[in-house]
Structure formats: structure tokens, C-alpha cells
Amino acid sequence: FCPGEITVLRKPSAAENVVDTYRQYPYEFVRKIAVHRELLDKVISRIGDRDRVLDLGCGLGLLRERLGSRSGEYLGIDASGEFVANC
């Protein structure tokens, strides 16, 4: 402690916590969760070839990755800029 020093403590945001979690685990981790794959399969089965897709909470972009060129237009939104950049 130094006189005049200001220390600020704050709780990490939800986005920071999520990013930290994904930094600790391999990117492949999410792909291996069966229930997540099943959910993506259900969503993809309802998307037509020219449909426009809005992915709220896109995370690492696994839906976009699985869609390939199937959708007409894709927009992914996430609280983490790092995830959006990856997506």
C-alpha cells in the first residue's frame, strides 16, 4: 500500500468469465458435448437453404460452422467480442 494509491476491485463480467472458461479448456471441448450437438442438429434441421439466421449468443460460432453454406445469410451476436471474432 502506498499513500495516494487507488486500488479498484470489481467482479468479472459474465462475458469475461465465459472467455476465461474457454481459455482454460480446448476449443474442441464444446464440440464433444452430445446434448450440444443434438441441439445444433435440431436447429439446423429447421433452417432452409436460403433462410436468414440470427444467432443470439453465438459463442464460438459452432452453429455457423455446422451450417456451412446452407443458410442464405447469417448474423452472430455475442457479449464477447473475442467470440464474435472467432465466429
Side-chain angles (χ1 to χ4, degrees):
F1 179 79
C2 298
E5 179 181 333
I6 298 173
T7 303
V8 177
L9 297 174
R10 69 175 178 77
K11 187 177 181 179
S13 70
E16 289 169 328
N17 284 334
V18 170
V19 169
D20 288 342
T21 299
Y22 281 101
R23 282 187 182 141
Q24 292 172 2
Y25 296 99
Y27 180 57
E28 296 297 315
F29 171 75
V30 179
R31 286 190 177 100
K32 296 184 187 307
I33 300 172
V35 75
H36 193 266
R37 282 193 317 267
E38 291 170 11
L39 177 64
L40 287 177
D41 288 342
K42 285 182 181 181
V43 170
I44 290 169
S45 72
R46 291 175 170 83
I47 297 173
D49 289 343
R50 306 302 301 155
D51 287 352
R52 297 168 66 190
V53 176
L54 173 59
D55 188 359
L56 300 175
C58 65
L60 297 168
L62 297 179
L63 176 61
R64 177 69 192 131
E65 183 179 281
R66 298 273 301 272
L67 278 171
S69 62
R70 183 173 176 172
S71 69
E73 186 177 340
Y74 174 91
L75 175 62
I77 298 174
D78 200 281
S80 167
E82 186 174 331
F83 283 0
V84 171
N86 185 42
C87 180

